[in-house]
Amino acid sequence: MNPIYRDMGTTIFEATSARARARGAINLGQGFPDGPRAEAVIAAAAAALQERSNQYPPMAGLPELRAAVAAWYGRHQGLALAPEEVTVTSGATEALAAALLALVCPGDEVIIFEPAYDAYRPLIERTGGVVKPVALTLPEGRIDRTALAAALGPRTRLLLLNDPLNPLGTRLPESDLAHLAEACTAHDLTAICDEVWEALVYDGARHRSLMDFPGMRERTVKIGSAGKIFGLTGWKVGWMCAAAPLAQGLARAHQFLTFTTPPNLQWAVAEGLVREDGFVAEARAQHQAARDHLRAGLAALGLVTLPAAATYFVTLDLAASGVALSDREFCATLIDEAGVAAIPVSAFCAAPGPGHLVRFCFAKERAVLDEALARLAAWRAAFGRSEP
Ligand code: PMP
């Protein structure tokens, strides 16, 4: 067996969810939403299953979905994409795998920014690429320009960026994106941009893609996911967008991974992207309200969180909260003693990483958040305010 997989455990999300189930804990660990339910999109999928083809759709995706993705990015992000520049994939995860398989040659160096989504490192290493991690500034999640400059070298070929960022819920300011664009053009790098959280940005902000910066249109692979846009994480419908020469290579890699994605789900996502802007806005508003509710509840317990500009996640700062446990100790104790599951941010970093940040998912029903807060309050009261 390949040592990358032989020596690896299950993901932190699987492990935490399993432990949460075993202990009857409220799961604020894994990032899936309780709602709202995208009824029209689900109905479109059910209808398509009965009324449309259930045979292999075109390898690059249903034309309706490719056109809908291109139009959605035109409307929401001011990008001018042609449908031919969109390849539909089985979730953003497959898009990431296809992009890395297509673009990395053995020995190529790939810059990632930590904390980083956990799939990046094993995918890069399995292509024979070499991971060059650059730590983001904490807790702001900004690009550390000195650290980036130190990581760039003659073998650097790619930069893999997640913005907005899971786990911290931060967004890069335009000045950082402009700096990354300059680095990519100066060093002739291709950027793979994982923007699955692009529709879940709060406080009236508008997502801007690295692809939109000078010199980036031809050197960016922009990855998105309907799972996040419509809160249907189990569907695994995603896509990757890139200019023609890149798109062709990506499609070649994709054709020998999953080849296609269920046609009824593709059809429904196309319908949703065309007709359901109202639902997406409503979902965003509900998540923002849930974020504010959880942050206020944690603050009332003396627990300090970082501002969450995007995603389903809010980050608890243990050090600022006066909690003298590491994030992993805190999360383990929290499941067992308080009955609430959360994710240690150090799981998103190669050792040593930050040890004082914990990720909570706030995209849950109000009653679930309130029960979690009540459990935390009871647990914290039992230990006094300065310790957990
Ligand atoms: N990238 C990031 C940053 C994510 O947070 C997720 C999902 N949690 C994915 C990729 C995977 O997306 P999908 O479910 O569409 O494969």
Side-chain angles (χ1 to χ4, degrees), residues 2 56 62 74 84 100 109 113 117 135 183 201 224 242 245 250 255 267-268 270 283 298 310 339:
N2 187 289
Y56 294 131
L62 287 186
E84 300 69 46
L100 291 166
E109 293 179 358
F113 298 94
Y117 187 58
V201 298
L250 301 178
Q255 72 185 345
W267 176 255
L298 291 171

Side-chain angles (χ1 to χ4, degrees), residues 31 90-94 96 117 120 162 164 166 194 196-197 224-228 233 236-238 313:
S90 292
T93 307
E94 197 226 340
L96 284 162
Y117 187 58
Y120 296 169
N162 175 213
N166 174 11
D194 177 346
V196 299
W197 297 101
S225 173
K228 299 294 188 287
T233 59
K236 301 297 272 191
V237 177
F313 309 115

Side-chain angles (χ1 to χ4, degrees), residues 224-308:
S225 173
K228 299 294 188 287
I229 294 175
F230 296 111
L232 298 166
T233 59
W235 278 26
K236 301 297 272 191
V237 177
W239 48 79
M240 46 192 174
C241 309
L246 274 177
Q248 192 189 22
L250 301 178
R252 297 285 179 274
H254 161 70
Q255 72 185 345
F256 295 128
L257 282 171
T258 64
F259 188 70
T260 57
T261 297
N264 64 312
L265 299 183
Q266 289 197 48
W267 176 255
V269 170
E271 289 274 290
L273 291 174
V274 172
R275 295 184 215 292
E276 294 299 320
D277 278 1
F279 170 83
V280 176
E282 173 57 27
R284 185 186 300 122
Q286 286 192 27
H287 292 315
Q288 182 175 316
R291 171 201 68 176
D292 294 343
H293 187 72
L294 183 60
R295 286 195 78 203
L298 291 171
L301 299 174
L303 295 170
V304 178
T305 56
L306 309 176

Side-chain angles (χ1 to χ4, degrees), residues 150-224:
L152 287 164
R155 308 214 62 171
T156 314
R157 296 281 175 276
L158 285 157
L159 183 150
L160 172 45
L161 177 71
N162 175 213
D163 181 55
L165 178 69
N166 174 11
L168 293 184
T170 48
R171 300 175 55 231
L172 285 181
E174 299 226 342
S175 56
D176 280 8
L177 291 169
H179 182 76
L180 290 180
E182 280 163 23
C184 287
T185 48
H187 294 265
D188 194 20
L189 310 182
T190 303
I192 301 177
C193 294
D194 177 346
E195 299 177 14
V196 299
W197 297 101
E198 61 202 342
L200 292 160
V201 298
Y202 306 121
D203 308 310
R206 186 177 192 226
H207 176 74
R208 186 164 174 208
S209 174
L210 184 61
M211 185 185 245
D212 196 31
F213 282 75
M216 295 308 293
R217 181 65 174 80
E218 309 296 318
R219 56 172 76 246
T220 301
V221 180
K222 174 174 165 56
I223 293 177

Side-chain angles (χ1 to χ4, degrees), residues 17 46 93 99 102 107 143 173 178 190 193 196 231 245 281 285 301 327 348 361 371 379:
S17 292
T93 307
I143 302 294
T190 303
C193 294
V196 299
L301 299 174
D327 59 347
F348 296 80
C361 176
E371 173 61 19
W379 182 58

